[in-house]
Amino acid sequence: MNNFSETTKQYLKSDSSLFIDGKRCTATGEEITPVINACNGKHIYSLRDASNSDVDAAVAAARSAFNSGWKTMGPEQRAGLMLEFARLIDEHSEALSELESLECATPISISVSTIRYWCAAFIRYYAGWVDKIQGDTIPGAPFLYPDNQFLAYTKYEPVGVVAAITPWNAPVAMLILKLGPALASGCSLVIKPAEITPLTAIYVAELALKAGIPAGVVNIVQGKGETVGQYLSGHTGIDKISFTGSTAVGKRIVIAATGNLKKVSLELGGKSPFVIFPDANLEDAVPAAAMACFFLSGQNCMAATRLYVHESIHGEVIKVLTNIAEAMESGDALNPKTQLGPLISEKQRQQVHAKVEKAVEAGGVLLTGGKIPEGPGFYYPPTLIDNTEVSMDIVQQEVFGPVLAITTFGDDIEALITDINSTIYGLSGSVWTKDINKALKMVDAIDSGQVGINSHAALIPGVPFGGNKQSGWGREFGYEGLLPYLKIKAVTIKY
Ligand code: NAP
Ligand code: MG
């Protein structure tokens, strides 16, 4: 605590349970949620959950801000406010990254670079779209108006008040992913972050206000998913839900949204494949495979947790991978040298470990890791399980921990493709080869929202990201990421 910046220390003393209509306020729910430091298991902070009437107040504030000038604000002014917001994120990135590393144990080197460089760039990118949201003019109505004295055009309008429900991994980036396209479109928001990572959300909302984004455009309610999240997703004052989280909760969101047929976009789980062909440059591919699986201790949706390696290079690949896994620096998230932080909770660690034990019982061969370490914190070592196959749960299910399932393939590419496409997920994936024909054949065959060639999961603001199959509905990032926040109006004129 003593090493924190003064801003962070002050912030931790404040009550940060609600942010409504541009003001912090105290929640009135019954329950208290503790925030735990995953690096040592110690209590950091307690937060009162929002009540239903707190959520009602946030939705009302968002509606009022939407209708009183925000939805009709001119593009130059809107983009200007977003650019100032991006500048403030950059300016406050030290405190924001300290808070993020404290609440969800993201290694500080990663939270600093994500927040300072990536989050600010993402908001700037969407600020650039504001004056390019434009419709079409559409010619021709020959049967209705043969004289052709007829014009049709389309215009985009903001979809309205958005409920954004976000997960605990990379909490600042998760908020920013919603804020970029929502603000650019002219929507207002009620955001519910994961209950276990509430610290950064109000900080970000206050920066938006400081940038000049009107009070009520960004509101934060905190509390548990089953209560606060469920109430918000069923709320008839909400026009759209943008959800990031697990596939199981995504399905509940869809059901909750039916009352007033809210628009829904979903960014859900994944089980991304990483395929190494024998002609790949192994010096690049093997460290990238380790990074793609172990980044954020495997607690990210695009994690490559299935490695497909050709039988002719299997021995060499697993030897290097094992060395990399065993050399990774794990430790306190606030230590700049740390590469791997702990898992988010003891519950998560137990779930990850149970999946590893089950994989070994089913015939998987543990190459390294797979043991719960002694000592405080919820650490779990980078774990490699060889000899896995398509029928095993470890190959089919999301683990959300640093666990890589390794499967060997031969020369039957069709069988490889069938295996790759066998899971319920389709978020990301990558193929590693110098043969462009082989790479492009795999790109066509893999059923996922993103496929990398000699790179895995490009989180670039302009590049669409999202899932096929049960990995989601819709896309975030890029122009495609803007569309779910807009509705199109067709205007027809007889003259
Ligand atoms: P989660 O349990 O699905 O929770 C996500 C959010 O939904 C949290 O804010 C949670 O609140 C809330 N929630 C839970 N139950 C709800 C309900 N019945 N109604 C409304 N909201 C509810 O996911 P998580 O464990 O936080 O995050 C991990 C999952 O997110 C993984 O599956 C991962 O793959 C996925 N993810 C996907 C992406 C992507 O872009 N595709 C990115 C990151 C993560 P509480 O936690 O406060 O209960
Ligand atoms: Mg949860």
Side-chain angles (χ1 to χ4, degrees), residues 302-491:
M302 72 275 182
T305 50
R306 294 186 282 159
L307 176 64
Y308 291 90
V309 56
H310 191 267
E311 57 197 5
S312 62
I313 51 169
H314 170 263
E316 190 184 349
V317 167
I318 61 169
K319 188 169 146 232
V320 180
L321 255 183
T322 307
N323 289 341
I324 296 173
E326 290 177 352
M328 289 190 89
E329 287 273 347
S330 84
D332 193 282
L334 291 160
N335 180 345
K337 286 198 185 129
T338 294
Q339 293 174 293
L340 278 188
L343 299 179
I344 189 72
S345 63
E346 182 56 27
K347 187 174 153 211
Q348 179 77 8
R349 177 160 79 163
Q350 292 301 334
Q351 285 171 356
V352 168
H353 189 56
K355 286 178 179 164
V356 170
E357 287 190 318
K358 197 170 169 199
V360 173
E361 276 163 32
V365 175
L366 197 59
L367 298 177
T368 186
K371 287 187 194 67
I372 293 183
E374 304 271 323
F378 313 131
Y379 292 92
Y380 201 79
T383 298
L384 300 174
I385 306 177
D386 198 10
N387 202 33
T388 63
E389 44 186 87
V390 67
S391 58
M392 294 181 184
D393 286 351
I394 200 76
V395 175
Q396 295 293 326
Q397 294 175 1
E398 189 175 45
V399 175
F400 238 55
V403 180
L404 182 59
I406 304 167
T407 304
T408 309
F409 66 91
D411 293 331
D412 184 349
I413 300 294
E414 294 310 318
L416 170 67
I417 290 167
T418 304
D419 277 10
I420 287 174
N421 287 335
S422 68
T423 73
I424 62 165
Y425 298 111
L427 190 60
S428 185
S430 58
V431 292
W432 296 71
T433 172
K434 289 186 198 124
D435 178 346
I436 191 67
N437 293 314
K438 203 186 287 168
L440 292 177
K441 182 179 162 72
M442 296 300 289
V443 166
D444 291 347
I446 294 176
D447 189 0
S448 64
Q450 224 183 52
V451 183
I453 300 174
N454 299 326
S455 69
H456 187 85
L459 299 178
I460 297 166
V463 178
F465 181 86
N468 295 354
K469 299 192 273 182
Q470 295 189 38
S471 285
W473 283 354
R475 294 290 180 266
E476 290 190 316
F477 297 67
Y479 178 62
E480 291 75 8
L482 202 55
L483 295 176
Y485 294 87
L486 294 166
K487 51 191 180 189
I488 198 159
K489 179 173 280 173
V491 185

Side-chain angles (χ1 to χ4, degrees), residues 103 137 163 179 191 198 246-247 269 279 289 295 304 353 379 393 422 494:
E103 70 178 352
T137 53
L179 285 165
I191 302 173
S246 61
T247 295
D279 66 338
F295 180 67
H353 189 56
Y379 292 92
D393 286 351
S422 68
K494 169 77 184 97

Side-chain angles (χ1 to χ4, degrees), residues 184-199:
S185 310
C187 293
S188 58
L189 304 100
V190 178
I191 302 173
K192 192 208 87 66
E195 73 194 275
I196 48 180
T197 54
L199 295 176

Side-chain angles (χ1 to χ4, degrees), residues 31-35 43 45-49 195-196 198 223-224:
E31 292 199 53
I32 304 276
T33 300
V35 181
H43 176 265
Y45 198 82
S46 282
L47 204 79
R48 185 171 290 281
D49 289 5
E195 73 194 275
I196 48 180
K224 292 174 190 52

